[in-house]
Amino acid sequence: MNNTQYRLSRKTALGWVVALVIAILSIAGVQGQTVGGAEMVANGGFESGDAGWAAYQLLTTIGAPGQAGAAAHLQNAGDQIRGQFYQDGLALTPNTTYRLTFWALSPQGHNVQVAIVQTSDPAVSLGLLRSVDATEAWQQFTVDFVTTDFAPSAEG
């Protein structure tokens, strides 16, 4: 196993939303059945507003109510638009298991696609592309995934 960690440019930690509220977003390394390593998402509980986060084609506000404190309120900028809410520079290791955990609700009950991708050339999936069924009630989602055997970006 390659234990090299790379900082990759623009990864979509959570993307393609319609109307969604998220709270406590975290990514951590997984060893066996226990979570190991440090939290990788900066400001995952939104206590510092939207610091560390970026949005594309998305209307965002940070505030209450959250599952536990603050939450990010996200809505696509238009009917036919897939907004993206993301963080740059996650330090990921190729061929490694990670766990994405987050709380979400969707007032309209829309599915949400979560992805970890490198969007700079070459644009590649880094091992996570899933859809979760967000409902009108708070739900905790936990998604385990294995990163691909990616090469570092020129910007990384």
Side-chain angles (χ1 to χ4, degrees):
M1 179 162 111
N2 181 347
N3 287 327
T4 306
Q5 253 190 7
Y6 297 108
R7 274 207 184 281
L8 300 167
S9 61
R10 189 176 290 181
K11 269 75 54 217
T12 302
L14 182 64
W16 302 355
V17 299
V18 175
L20 176 74
V21 181
I22 59 173
I24 312 174
L25 182 83
S26 76
I27 297 177
V30 175
Q31 299 172 352
Q33 294 299 315
T34 61
V35 174
E39 169 59 42
M40 300 180 73
V41 175
N43 189 27
F46 308 105
E47 291 86 3
S48 298
D50 63 358
W53 292 95
Y56 175 75
Q57 297 291 324
L58 195 63
L59 307 172
T60 63
T61 55
I62 307 297
Q67 177 58 21
H73 302 257
L74 313 172
Q75 184 171 353
N76 287 337
D79 290 340
Q80 301 299 313
I81 294 174
R82 289 181 169 184
Q84 297 179 5
F85 191 59
Y86 61 90
Q87 283 193 6
D88 288 337
L90 297 177
L92 300 175
T93 302
N95 303 308
T96 302
T97 302
Y98 291 92
R99 177 169 290 150
L100 169 67
T101 304
F102 61 98
W103 286 86
L105 69 82
S106 172
Q108 292 83 27
H110 292 288
N111 289 347
V112 177
Q113 193 164 43
V114 292
I116 304 292
V117 298
Q118 174 179 297
T119 58
S120 61
D121 283 336
V124 294
S125 170
L126 299 178
L128 174 60
L129 179 58
R130 301 236 179 99
S131 182
V132 297
D133 186 19
T135 65
E136 295 177 22
W138 281 110
Q139 291 178 272
Q140 183 179 33
F141 294 93
T142 300
V143 179
D144 289 343
F145 64 98
V146 178
T147 52
T148 58
D149 189 19
F150 59 84
S153 71
E155 301 172 20

